[in-house]
Amino acid sequence: MMKVAWDVSHSEFAVKDHYYYSKLVEYAAKEGLNIEEIDDLRVIDEYDVLVINYPEEKFSDNEARIVEAFVKRGGILIVLAYYENKDNSARASTSLSKNFGVKFNEDKITSESSGDNEYIIITSKVKKFNRDVERVLIPCPCSVNGGNYFVFEEKKEIPIFSYIRCGKGIAVFGGSCAFWDNHSIDRESNKNFSMNLLKGLV
């Protein structure tokens, strides 16, 4: 079973929050992924995957080096922010992602093709991590700069997700943390997309 560390040391959303993430934990367990909360990044070598989900506090240079070393040794890193730098999420995420050459922008992506809610992005332009994925629904994303872009807004093709290979590992950077919460994970192909990310199935 793969071990997933879900960081809560930078005021991230807690995966133990039943209202938001009970389905993600359940689906992951069925796929052989055990998600555990951690409050100290110094323990991440005990895990295969590290999730940073909507951090509100910046990472120190030392913490960024710890995470970079984790990826280089073969770990999977997933860093997720939100639109308009809500709760400092874009800047906090960038304090970690900059070591990988990626920046989270403090913007918002909207779509006229998503029906009544322009903040809900539905796109078929998922170029990687797309095993059994047709379309994904991504609420309230910001754009990202840097890395290999692999999820785009449907019409304007603004990049929402990117990834890089670093040493033996993979780092993923996404402009929304809400695509795998309880309100979204059963929509479109979000469940499969979420599992692909956690497993590193590029």
Side-chain angles (χ1 to χ4, degrees):
M1 178 171 280
M2 292 180 69
K3 295 180 64 179
V4 180
W6 187 285
D7 187 52
V8 293
S9 67
H10 293 74
S11 299
E12 296 96 336
F13 281 121
V15 75
K16 290 182 180 178
D17 186 326
H18 187 81
Y19 181 77
Y20 283 113
Y21 294 111
S22 60
K23 290 182 179 180
L24 175 62
V25 173
E26 175 188 350
Y27 295 152
K30 290 179 180 178
E31 294 288 330
L33 296 155
N34 181 40
I35 303 178
E36 301 176 0
E37 288 183 3
I38 64 167
D39 58 8
D40 188 339
L41 290 174
R42 290 174 294 182
V43 305
I44 59 176
D45 283 344
E46 301 172 18
Y47 295 87
D48 305 294
V49 184
L50 173 62
V51 176
I52 308 293
N53 193 75
Y54 195 91
E56 298 180 27
E57 301 168 10
K58 289 186 177 181
F59 293 80
S60 68
D61 290 342
N62 186 55
E63 287 174 323
R65 285 191 292 268
I66 289 172
V67 172
E68 184 179 7
F70 165 78
V71 177
K72 286 181 176 179
R73 287 192 293 268
I76 299 167
L77 170 66
I78 302 170
V79 183
L80 304 171
Y82 209 51
Y83 75 144
E84 294 184 329
N85 191 39
K86 294 290 185 181
D87 296 318
N88 200 46
S89 58
R91 292 181 189 177
S93 296
T94 296
S95 71
L96 186 59
S97 66
K98 66 183 181 181
N99 277 27
F100 299 91
V102 175
K103 178 186 178 183
F104 289 83
N105 297 314
E106 299 177 25
D107 59 1
K108 62 182 177 182
I109 302 173
T110 58
S111 175
E112 297 177 0
S113 62
S114 297
D116 294 335
N117 191 339
E118 65 178 355
Y119 294 99
I120 300 294
I121 304 299
I122 299 175
T123 180
S124 62
K125 295 187 176 178
V126 184
K127 308 301 183 183
K128 297 288 184 179
F129 300 90
N130 58 359
R131 183 178 300 182
D132 297 320
V133 172
E134 294 183 7
R135 300 195 307 174
V136 294
L137 180 148
I138 306 174
C140 304
C142 67
S143 63
V144 295
N145 284 126
N148 304 295
Y149 304 128
F150 69 94
V151 178
F152 303 84
E153 189 277 331
E154 188 80 22
K155 299 293 184 181
K156 294 171 280 188
E157 297 193 354
I158 301 169
I160 302 172
F161 277 76
S162 71
Y163 82 99
I164 69 161
R165 295 187 183 275
C166 180
K168 297 179 180 179
I170 298 170
V172 175
F173 308 97
S176 173
C177 64
F179 67 93
W180 58 6
D181 67 18
N182 285 354
H183 306 287
S184 301
I185 197 167
D186 290 326
R187 303 280 300 276
E188 304 297 338
S189 301
N190 284 31
K191 175 185 172 183
N192 291 340
F193 180 64
S194 299
M195 296 303 108
N196 292 343
L197 291 178
L198 288 172
K199 293 179 180 179
L201 297 177
V202 182

